[in-house]
């Protein structure tokens, strides 16, 4: 039996990050385009989780403050599905490779769509 690869998420490996340094954030996310068009429903929420290779959550960005994220995501235009992440005051403190994904929630829908995923390498601080 074969299984089709239905993973439509764009893979983006973020540049290596040196532990203890300022994480630059992400200046612009989107606009999201699916089948040559912006989704019909407006964007209600975005969350981005970083997990270690064992699947343990190590850092969370979220546009929903009630989810108690480590740092916020700002939805800049809900109609064009554009957002941004300001540089957080702290970031991942462990060394290694971490996988991440970014889930987008449409207004009125409970389940997200994962449009972006990737990994990031966290390196040791040189001066420790």
């Amino acid at each position: 039996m074969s299984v089709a690869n239905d993973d439509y998420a764009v893979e983006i490996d973020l540049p290596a990050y040196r532990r203890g340094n300022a994480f630059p954030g992400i200046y612009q996310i989107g606009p999201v385009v699916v089948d040559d068009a912006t989704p019909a429903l407006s964007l209600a929420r975005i969350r981005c989780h970083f997990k270690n290779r064992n699947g343990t959550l190590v850092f969370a960005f979220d546009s929903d403050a009630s989810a108690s994220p480590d740092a916020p995501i700002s939805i800049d235009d809900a109609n064009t599905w554009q957002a941004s992440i300001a540089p957080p005051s702290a970031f991942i403190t462990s060394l290694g490779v971490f996988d991440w994904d970014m889930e987008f929630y449409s207004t009125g829908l409970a389940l997200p769509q994962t449009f972006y995923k990737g990994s990031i390498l966290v390196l040791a601080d040189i001066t420790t």
Side-chain angles (χ1 to χ4, degrees), residues 31-100:
V32 172
V33 176
V34 178
D35 295 330
D36 297 322
T38 301
L41 299 174
S42 63
L43 178 62
R45 178 184 179 196
I46 300 176
R47 76 177 196 176
C48 179
H49 285 171
F50 288 78
K51 295 184 175 184
N52 65 23
R53 291 287 162 104
N54 294 327
T56 303
L57 179 66
V58 295
F59 200 89
F61 291 104
D62 203 314
S63 63
D64 181 356
S66 69
S68 300
D70 296 302
I73 295 177
S74 297
I75 295 177
D76 302 324
D77 190 327
N79 294 319
T80 61
W81 289 46
Q82 288 181 274
S84 58
I85 298 174
S89 59
F91 194 52
I92 300 170
T93 57
S94 302
L95 302 179
V97 177
F98 299 87
D99 296 317
W100 65 272

Side-chain angles (χ1 to χ4, degrees), residues 4 16-17 31 35 44 47 54-56 65 67 81 84 88 103 105-106 108 116 120-121 125 127-128:
Y17 163 76
D35 295 330
R47 76 177 196 176
N54 294 327
T56 303
W81 289 46
S84 58
E103 299 172 325
Y105 293 80
S106 300
Y116 302 114
I120 187 170
L121 172 63
D125 186 345
T127 59
T128 57

